Amino acid sequence: MSKISKKRPIYVLDTNVLLYNPRAIYAFPNADVVIPDIVLGELDKVKTARLDRELRYRSREISRILFDLSSNGNLTEGIRFGKNSFLRVVSFDASKGMPEQFTSKNSDDKIISIAYQIKRDGGDRSVTIVTNDLNMLLKAQTIGIKVEHPGEEFAYGGIKRAFFVIKSHKQSFSTAVAVIAIIVILVFLPQIARYFGLQQTTQGTIEGPPELIKEVQNYQNQIKVLNAQKDTYESMLKRNPKDLQALIGLGNVYFDMGRMSEDPDNHRKAIEYYKRALEIDPNNLSVRTDMAVEYFNLNMYSEAISELESVIRKNPNFYQAYYNLGMIYYNGLRNLPKAREYFIKCIEKAPQGSGFAMRADSFIQQIDQEMKAR
């Protein structure tokens, strides 16, 4: 099998990108796609971990896709697939070294080092890490490696948000709920925390397994950012109670806070601010879609459906609404035929090859398997 092209860009995919969309490898036509072997190891852990059922399904789906592609050649040597793309699995090569400040004991460092080694071997070729992980982004930038976020359309169900979005940190180790539980344990049940190898020092820092510490720190940093945004938007509203940007911004802040804390009050506050924004701009379909998501989060399915149907009446091509309706009927009402119908509609309306189309297709395959097993 021929080696990776000497001219085309190279994209190195992180675990969270594949967990969000198992078919993410197909989002890079005319390019070379690299999956680090460390990523495959993390995905294997997800298959048996006590995580969300959908995450476990996605991990198995990635394995199935790669297994099918392997029939065309050796993944470690590289194979052609999709729209003139080239895929290979790459291992960290200790003999090639790594940046001074990095350690081979850290998964993120090894993934970045693989990109670093590929870039060094590839001369002036463009090498980009695709990730949702803020810490990885910052680390990669310190050594001159480009980092690309999958993008809003790829990562969210509405223009800005979706049901069951992979968080910006890696969920292969824990979910946001687990992080909150860790914080509660540290404060109220220190003896249990010690059992898991976690403890809080007198200075307030946390000691324990690096993966769990990273999760807690990511969570705390995101909360700080959201609180700062909330203060800014609240100041704007004090000056002008009908400031549309501030109303939407506060709705988004409470949306994200609710997603991280599972506190229903945050979902209710998001709806409150979205409603106020829609009073000013009733044709803002993105805000109406986000509000529908929040109704879903509160198990208010009929309200969520009503809002999304309103979006479709105003714009029959607003594919995000079809996608979210599919999610309501699939994960909420468990009406598989209806969910399938909306996912098909999403594929018809969404741009070809977009994250939404690929995600909808993935759900259709999952639904077909479930209906067949009944």
Side-chain angles (χ1 to χ4, degrees):
M1 181 60 62
S2 59
K3 294 181 179 179
I4 280 183
S5 162
K6 294 181 179 179
K7 296 181 180 179
R8 302 189 305 171
I10 301 172
Y11 293 93
V12 180
L13 306 191
D14 191 14
T15 312
N16 49 49
V17 174
L18 290 168
L19 273 176
Y20 174 73
N21 184 352
R23 299 180 64 83
I25 59 172
Y26 292 98
F28 305 94
N30 302 306
D32 298 325
V33 179
V34 169
I35 301 179
D37 63 342
I38 302 101
V39 167
L40 295 182
E42 291 185 342
L43 292 171
D44 272 340
K45 292 178 183 177
V46 174
K47 291 179 191 174
T48 55
R50 303 179 77 174
L51 295 174
D52 179 86
R53 172 169 162 264
E54 186 183 341
L55 283 180
R56 296 199 304 272
Y57 167 79
R58 291 175 193 168
S59 181
R60 292 193 298 272
E61 180 69 3
I62 297 162
S63 295
R64 185 192 65 77
I65 291 170
L66 295 179
F67 185 82
D68 289 345
L69 288 174
S70 68
S71 63
N72 299 324
N74 189 320
L75 286 172
T76 58
E77 293 178 3
I79 58 173
R80 297 198 178 279
F81 76 105
K83 297 181 179 179
N84 194 31
S85 298
F86 197 91
L87 171 72
R88 69 168 173 167
V89 174
V90 177
S91 301
F92 170 72
D93 187 345
S95 68
K96 292 184 177 180
M98 62 194 314
E100 250 178 65
Q101 64 271 39
F102 287 16
T103 170
S104 60
K105 295 180 180 179
N106 183 290
S107 295
D108 282 1
D109 286 2
K110 289 177 77 173
I111 292 171
I112 298 171
S113 294
I114 286 173
Y116 173 80
Q117 292 172 356
I118 291 173
K119 183 172 178 61
R120 191 172 56 186
D121 293 344
D124 59 354
R125 292 191 64 193
S126 170
V127 178
T128 304
I129 295 176
V130 184
T131 182
N132 279 314
D133 192 316
L134 176 62
N135 284 346
M136 180 175 282
L137 180 150
L138 296 173
K139 278 188 175 183
Q141 287 179 339
T142 64
I143 60 169
I145 298 292
K146 290 194 297 184
V147 180
E148 184 176 298
H149 188 281
E152 287 189 342
E153 181 189 66
F154 191 80
Y156 300 101
I159 291 296
K160 297 175 71 66
R161 285 162 175 74
F163 302 135
F164 311 112
V165 174
I166 296 297
K167 313 300 189 291
S168 60
H169 53 280
K170 290 181 182 174
Q171 287 195 330
S172 51
F173 293 109
S174 65
T175 62
V177 175
V179 173
I180 298 164
I182 290 168
I183 295 172
V184 171
I185 286 171
L186 283 168
V187 176
F188 298 106
L189 298 170
Q191 67 275 23
I192 297 178
R194 284 194 293 273
Y195 175 80
F196 288 101
L198 290 164
Q199 62 179 352
Q200 197 162 24
T201 67
T202 53
Q203 290 78 27
T205 59
I206 301 169
E207 293 181 348
E211 292 87 358
L212 292 181
I213 291 174
K214 180 182 174 182
E215 294 289 346
V216 174
Q217 290 172 340
N218 278 343
Y219 177 85
Q220 292 171 333
N221 289 337
Q222 289 175 60
I223 290 296
K224 284 180 184 177
V225 170
L226 288 172
N227 281 327
Q229 291 175 346
K230 182 166 76 73
D231 291 342
T232 299
Y233 290 132
E234 285 177 343
S235 296
M236 292 168 65
L237 278 186
K238 283 180 181 178
R239 294 193 296 271
N240 176 11
K242 292 191 175 183
D243 188 315
L244 184 61
Q245 179 187 354
L247 290 169
I248 295 174
L250 276 170
N252 292 344
V253 165
Y254 280 113
F255 183 109
D256 290 335
M257 284 184 169
R259 181 163 55 88
M260 294 177 67
S261 69
E262 302 299 325
D263 183 348
D265 284 342
N266 286 322
H267 298 309
R268 294 188 188 100
K269 287 179 182 177
I271 290 172
E272 174 192 334
Y273 284 108
Y274 286 149
K275 279 184 175 179
R276 288 173 62 181
L278 289 169
E279 287 174 3
I280 299 170
D281 183 11
N283 293 318
N284 192 319
L285 304 187
S286 301
V287 170
R288 197 170 294 280
T289 299
D290 292 347
M291 187 167 71
V293 174
E294 287 297 63
Y295 277 130
F296 176 89
N297 288 330
L298 293 171
N299 296 325
M300 300 171 68
Y301 301 142
S302 60
E303 289 83 352
I305 291 170
S306 175
E307 294 298 338
L308 292 170
E309 287 178 343
S310 172
V311 169
I312 291 170
R313 283 195 297 273
K314 292 183 184 221
N315 182 359
N317 294 315
F318 200 88
Y319 54 89
Q320 297 92 338
Y322 295 109
Y323 177 88
N324 285 334
L325 279 165
M327 293 301 292
I328 291 173
Y329 281 103
Y330 179 67
N331 279 305
L333 299 173
R334 295 299 296 164
N335 184 332
L336 300 188
K338 197 75 173 175
R340 192 179 191 282
E341 175 186 327
Y342 280 116
F343 284 132
I344 289 174
K345 204 73 175 174
C346 172
I347 293 173
E348 291 174 358
K349 302 293 184 180
Q352 188 175 8
S354 69
F356 277 106
M358 290 189 289
R359 289 284 295 120
D361 181 64
S362 179
F363 275 114
I364 289 170
Q365 293 180 42
Q366 185 172 344
I367 289 168
D368 287 346
Q369 288 180 12
E370 291 186 37
M371 293 177 70
K372 188 176 179 180
R374 285 184 170 182

